[in-house]
Amino acid sequence: MSAHMNLTLKVWRQKNDKTKGQFVTIEAKGIADDMSFLEMLDIVNDDLTRKGEDPIYFDHDCREGICGMCSLVINGRPHGPKQGTTTCQLHMRSFHDGQTIVIEPWRAAAFPVLKDLAVDRTAFDRIQQAGGYVNVNTGGVPDANTIAIPKRIADEAFESATCIGCGACVAACKNASAMLFVSAKVSQFALLPQGQTERYERAQAMVDQMDEEGFGNCTNTGACEAECPVGIKLTNIARLNREYLTAKVFREEDIHG
Amino acid sequence: MSKSKPVLNSSLGKKLIMSLTGLFLCTFLVVHLIGNLQLFKDDAGYAFNNYAYLMTHFAPIKVVSYLLYASVIVHAIYAIILTSNNKAARPIGYAASAGGANSKWNSRNMGILGTVLLVFIATHMANFWWKYHNDQVPYIEYRTDLSTGVTTSTEIQAGDFHDFTKVTENGVEILKARDLYKQVDYAFDNVFLVAFYVIAMAALAFHLIHGFRSAFQTVGFDHKKYVPIIQFLGVWIFGVLIPVGFALMPLYFFFCK
Amino acid sequence: MLDSKVPAGPLADKWSNHKFNLKLVNPANKRKFTVIVVGTGLAGASAAASLAELGYNVKAFAYQDSPRRAHSIAAQGGINAAKNYQNDGDSVYRLFYDTIKGGDYRAREANVYRLAEVSVNIIDQCVAQGVPFAREYGGLLDNRSFGGAQVSRTFYARGQTGQQLLLGAYSALNRQIKQGKVEVFNRHEMLDLVKIDGHAKGIITRNLITGEIESHAAHAVLLCTGGYGNVYFLSTNAMGCSVTAAWRAHKRGAFFANPCYTQIHPTCIPVTGDHQSKLTLMSESLRNDGRVWVPKTQEIAKKLQKGEIKASDVKEDDRDYFLERKYPSFGNLVPRDVASRNAKEAVDDGRGVGKTGVAVYLDFAEAIGRLGEDSVRAKYGNLFDMYYQITDENPYKQPMRIYPAVHYTMGGIWVDYNLMTTVPGLYALGEANFSDHGANRLGASALMQGLSDGYFVIPFTVGDYLAKLGSFAPVDANHPAFEEARKDVVEKTNQLLALKGTQTVDDIHKKLGHIMWEYCGMARTAEGLTKAIGLIQDLKKEFWSDVKVLGENDELNASLEKAGRVADFIELGELMVTDALQRAESCGGHFRLESQTEEGEAKRNDEEYTYVSAWEYKGDNQAEVLHKEELIFENVKLTQRSYK
């Protein structure tokens, strides 16, 4: 049989973006170690609901580690103590009976808290809108095998493209910097031939938007890489620096509206 | 169509400034250490005082030294700007923090280390640079018998000293100079100053272990083969050899002179 | 009365001819039209981007916090396309044929052929967007064989094909947002469809952050809202996936087709307990090397369940590799429905394994012996890691435990060849419609259909409808019809908020899930289905009398959101059971115990059931009315599937 444990949760509760929040202590009883962290919160919420208390609001959707919707800073670590996982894939066997768990939302000026543990990450969308695409319309494109892409390049681009946009990099960074997120998309297109035509415009436009959103500056601590649930590498940040500075120093071009 | 923001208004541009000034200061450290190794020469400061004169009076070096002072100031000012941006990017911090789990202490505390270094630089300049330039150091006269090569030295008074002069009379080279060497000796009689210097050099070590490698990352330098070399240089040359070399100087004067 | 609008002419020319016959909107007039797209998965994002590129104004809606999070993102395996890059005999016709056959001859020929035809354009489009598909060393695209297909036509991006395709469509969408052609509404849920003079003219949404009930007007509405697998509570769907948008449209006149066709995927991680919130799929590529077995006797199974012995302690002679035994030619690679049903039989026979006894083994020992652990790791490493992470069992040492889980729903809103529903101006795309997969979907076909509908079908067919509208006048969001629908939604929301019973919404949802799984799952009987109807009707009463909904409307309120969705699931559940009951044959994912061959295989009844059942809503608590669209097969011969 799986072990059952009792835990003390210190959870950030905040009604909405206009009110102040505070920590509330909630007991979680009879938690099985094969539950996921979010299932543990489901149980806690069911209890709260039965008692007529407002359940804890947290973002989640696919619960298989790919949609990037779940978040939570658990005992100071984005997505909890296990590396390379999202919160939905974190299981309670990573905790022990009697433990106190502090649960906080992503903290960043660019990610205002909406309620309890949910934050607004639309800043990420706006950065993508600034240039995270190749300008092609549907139809009228060449046959897929017209361009040969070395496997090594395709694989590396894939590694960058695998970012799930969860924001753990921002949450982990002591400066709330979004460089890892931005660099992943810039890298994908800087590597692939399809991205070449707008390569330098893209880097400039996305960095401009990133700055405008109020994210902090990268100081190369590497916390983002360590906490990234899908293993996006710091190499991407070096590449973004290179792309941007090259654009600025050698190839300053107009960017779209 | 529009222009992207000017490079120095961007987060990456500001980081570039940090990187370039930092690397420039690193090169200075190498020169400074090599020059100061002359302190260990048991020649009553003959070589060192000659070197000090050269460093303060040779025009190209003077230009470089002003660049250097500017770099320190710019590096510090940009550090303050970036740090305040970074603080603004996370107005509410985490209640539970576990920075140690995903990054190194020194990488997260470059500001503190840098502040120690700034205080150190101020102290260091006040003790030596200021005093040297404002006639607040002792004077010395060296007499070298050119036929035997034997050098003797005597302290001289301000009244006997007009300028750095080197004349040869009757096969004896007479050198009158400001005795910075003696000033070093005096200064490092003070146990508190020695302790502070050693602490500052420890701060330098931690600052550079992160900073040297980080500067390359910021300019976008990233290469499978060369990054390990940079990492090696950052740790062993800038993190160990240079700070230890510098720290040995006060210790040498305190214990051996 | 159901007109599928399938164009005349030879199968291969239907789409080309039809495209030519469709009316076009003058480029200068396109900007006068607004189209609403609900859902931003593969179908929604691709449709929204493509329509905006043409010049239409698009409003796109997502319940998630970003369009990028739609559940298409979770698809692992790949996307089919009849490129024949591997020179192994693939063709548009073969993909068409395989899809029709795989769907057990319950799909519309013309739609499926079009799907196969445009599949090749999808790959071109995605590559042009920068989707990093897997490649060969020579730099060209790699393919694999998937789901037992005889040709290698599946394009993939590691185990994250859905993610990469969705991010491609999302990037196209972002480009249009930047250009001001698409306005995105995140954290908005569609709660009603608005019709004016019988035509779809807009939707009512709830802003999930502020609770505001909003009216959005348009000239056409596209439902790209995915499937309804969450009616079972446990499924591989995301937590927020629901039938609500489709169901509200159904209540406004859109017929719901083949609701009983659900796909149960064989290789999922088994349930561990009541706390479980969702099931995790593992790519069926695992069956290429894994061998499925249970012990031969219940005694051994008991010992395994109690943990007295380990799987490796069971002697070879005491193991029953039931798929290899029953289907010597296809073995472990039989289609999903067959593999799932056989696992259920073994468990029902008391020979299931694991703590709960509701699982079968998927054993890699033989593959590890043959290929070496490193090769197995190279092929399946990420899946093994995922399994290890979730179960805390090392699949390199012990066999995996797997059990089928609800994965995909072939049924959905009825649409004609133009993807238009029975409500003029209302369209359904992707998993939300019923059209292309018949009674069973083949692996790597869902992504293909979503993108086909969005990129290559809807841009033509919507234009035809808009061109024929005869007016460019903007739709007025203050029209009385909007006010009325808005009032209905506000009323329903208040009704839910007034529920102050004793059970949580999840309690009821779990009960619904149990009923559906038990009686309308992998094996269905007339008796069980009849019983289920009563149970669901009781549950509906229980919901409206004893559920507890907390909080207010004007805040992020998960219990309110869920309550609305579960209320719809209960009604849908009843319709699914009703549909399953009327279809007294077995086909694809719909297995009626009364209709099987002597060997226990699904037996179709082509005489009586070669039709699409399309249900018309008649009002609250009234029986829905069945309409039949006869399926006409002019090109393929209906045969009994056999995988012996």
Side-chain angles (χ1 to χ4, degrees), chain A residues 1-2 15-17 32-36 38-39 42-43 45-57 59-64 66-70 82-86 89-91 93 114-115 118-122 124-126 128-152 154-159 161-167 181 185 188-189 192 194 205 209 230 256-257, chain C residues 46 49-50 53 63-71 73-76 83 85 121 123-141 155 157-160 163-164 167 170-179 184 186-187 208-209 236-241 272 275-281 355 386 388-392 455-456 459 502-507 510 548-552 554-559 561-562:
Chain A
M1 278 309 283
S2 60
K15 193 160 170 54
N16 54 44
D17 58 342
D33 59 4
D34 50 13
M35 285 179 189
S36 74
L38 297 184
E39 284 166 353
D42 288 343
I43 302 263
N45 274 345
D46 265 6
D47 285 349
L48 289 173
T49 306
R50 275 184 247 282
K51 282 191 268 177
E53 290 171 32
D54 198 19
I56 304 160
Y57 197 93
D59 272 332
H60 63 105
D61 201 30
C62 78
R63 296 211 177 183
E64 48 188 288
I66 192 76
C67 77
M69 186 114 171
C70 65
K82 255 189 112 178
Q83 291 207 325
T85 65
T86 53
Q89 297 288 287
L90 173 69
H91 283 73
R93 61 183 83 93
L114 292 172
K115 183 179 180 182
V119 299
D120 178 357
R121 283 172 287 197
T122 48
F124 270 11
D125 285 328
R126 288 188 292 273
Q128 296 293 347
Q129 287 155 21
Y133 46 78
V134 175
N135 260 299
V136 286
N137 280 345
T138 303
V141 297
D143 182 87
N145 260 350
T146 314
I147 346 165
I149 305 175
K151 181 170 163 50
R152 184 181 59 79
D155 286 350
E156 203 175 341
F158 174 86
E159 296 286 348
T162 196
C163 167
I164 59 173
C166 65
F181 169 77
K185 188 49 75 178
Q188 178 193 347
F189 290 134
L192 293 173
Q194 298 95 309
Q209 189 63 38
V230 292
H256 296 300
Chain C
S46 60
S50 301
E53 285 162 10
Y63 72 81
Q64 299 91 342
D65 74 335
S66 163
R68 67 180 293 155
R69 309 214 194 277
H71 199 54
I73 205 154
Q76 299 172 357
K83 281 283 197 186
Y85 280 162
N121 304 100
I123 302 304
D124 299 342
Q125 187 62 34
C126 295
V127 166
Q129 288 169 345
V131 169
F133 282 119
R135 287 180 183 264
E136 310 265 18
Y137 282 104
L140 299 183
L141 291 158
F155 294 79
R158 278 219 207 139
Q160 287 152 249
Q163 180 199 29
Q164 292 310 317
L167 293 182
Y170 165 73
S171 75
L173 182 66
N174 279 334
R175 176 170 164 250
Q176 294 306 313
I177 295 169
K178 175 74 174 173
Q179 293 181 9
V184 162
N186 300 325
R187 295 192 196 260
L208 299 181
I209 301 174
T236 63
N237 284 5
M239 303 301 286
C241 291
T272 57
H275 58 262
Q276 190 126 357
S277 59
K278 84 152 267 159
L279 295 170
T280 305
L281 173 90
K355 269 190 318 210
M386 182 171 81
Y388 197 0
Q389 205 165 350
I390 292 174
T391 62
D392 207 26
Y455 282 135
F456 297 111
T502 61
Q503 301 185 64
T504 66
V505 177
D506 275 354
D507 290 340
K510 283 179 188 175
K548 186 177 212 167
V549 181
L550 290 173
E552 308 294 330
D554 63 352
E555 61 178 344
L556 271 171
N557 188 336
S559 92
E561 289 166 28
K562 274 196 241 168

Side-chain angles (χ1 to χ4, degrees), chain C residues 47-261:
Chain C
S50 301
L51 290 173
E53 285 162 10
L54 290 173
Y56 299 109
N57 303 302
V58 176
K59 289 171 133 187
F61 294 81
Y63 72 81
Q64 299 91 342
D65 74 335
S66 163
R68 67 180 293 155
R69 309 214 194 277
H71 199 54
S72 306
I73 205 154
Q76 299 172 357
I79 177 167
N80 287 332
K83 281 283 197 186
N84 193 28
Y85 280 162
Q86 306 304 325
N87 197 30
D88 57 359
D90 198 13
S91 64
V92 167
Y93 194 85
R94 187 176 294 280
L95 176 55
F96 153 75
Y97 181 80
D98 287 354
T99 308
I100 283 277
K101 180 186 173 205
D104 221 357
Y105 306 98
R106 290 294 175 264
R108 203 187 275 153
E109 270 191 346
N111 282 56
V112 177
Y113 191 87
R114 175 177 64 191
L115 174 68
E117 192 180 336
V118 304
S119 68
V120 297
N121 304 100
I122 297 172
I123 302 304
D124 299 342
Q125 187 62 34
C126 295
V127 166
Q129 288 169 345
V131 169
F133 282 119
R135 287 180 183 264
E136 310 265 18
Y137 282 104
L140 299 183
L141 291 158
D142 191 20
N143 291 118
R144 61 184 173 197
S145 156
F146 197 78
Q150 312 278 22
V151 291
S152 290
R153 62 159 78 99
T154 304
F155 294 79
Y156 65 101
R158 278 219 207 139
Q160 287 152 249
T161 317
Q163 180 199 29
Q164 292 310 317
L165 294 177
L166 181 62
L167 293 182
Y170 165 73
S171 75
L173 182 66
N174 279 334
R175 176 170 164 250
Q176 294 306 313
I177 295 169
K178 175 74 174 173
Q179 293 181 9
K181 293 305 291 179
V182 177
E183 193 182 353
V184 162
F185 297 84
N186 300 325
R187 295 192 196 260
H188 276 66
E189 184 170 25
M190 170 182 160
L191 292 181
D192 210 348
L193 176 75
V194 180
K195 290 200 300 186
I196 298 175
D197 300 330
H199 287 244
K201 290 294 181 193
I203 59 172
I204 306 294
T205 59
R206 178 169 177 269
N207 178 331
L208 299 181
I209 301 174
T210 64
E212 203 175 327
I213 309 293
E214 301 163 351
S215 301
H216 295 277
H219 296 89
V221 176
L222 275 50
L223 295 178
C224 312
T225 51
Y228 47 86
N230 271 346
V231 69
Y232 292 86
F233 186 73
L234 287 179
S235 78
T236 63
N237 284 5
M239 303 301 286
C241 291
S242 78
V243 76
T244 290
W247 193 252
R248 307 280 166 106
H250 173 55
K251 286 183 159 185
R252 293 280 179 190
F255 290 6
F256 209 105
N258 298 336
C260 77
Y261 290 165

Side-chain angles (χ1 to χ4, degrees), chain B residues 28 37 76 121 188 242 255:
Chain B
F28 158 72
L37 284 178
I121 291 168
F188 291 146
I242 289 180
F255 289 108

Side-chain angles (χ1 to χ4, degrees), chain C residues 429-506:
Chain C
L429 285 69
E431 191 181 350
N433 74 27
F434 86 104
S435 71
D436 296 355
H437 305 296
N440 177 51
R441 179 178 65 74
L442 289 182
S445 287
L447 303 181
M448 174 171 70
Q449 189 220 337
L451 291 180
S452 147
D453 289 358
Y455 282 135
F456 297 111
V457 178
I458 206 72
F460 298 99
T461 58
V462 160
D464 180 64
Y465 169 76
L466 295 172
K468 289 174 182 159
L469 274 181
S471 157
F472 305 116
V475 180
D476 178 14
N478 295 315
H479 188 279
F482 277 94
E483 273 317 297
E484 202 180 305
R486 229 181 65 85
K487 244 178 55 198
D488 283 356
V489 170
V490 171
E491 212 167 276
K492 175 136 194 211
T493 306
N494 290 337
Q495 221 178 331
L496 289 169
L497 283 166
L499 293 171
K500 293 287 176 258
T502 61
Q503 301 185 64
T504 66
V505 177
D506 275 354

Side-chain angles (χ1 to χ4, degrees), chain A residues 104 107 173 211 217-218 220 255, chain B residues 2 11 15 86 90 95 214:
Chain A
E104 301 171 75
R107 295 287 191 199
C173 176
D211 287 350
N217 305 285
C218 174
N220 306 320
I255 56 173
Chain B
S2 63
S11 58
K15 290 280 304 162
N86 293 342
R90 175 164 297 140
S214 177

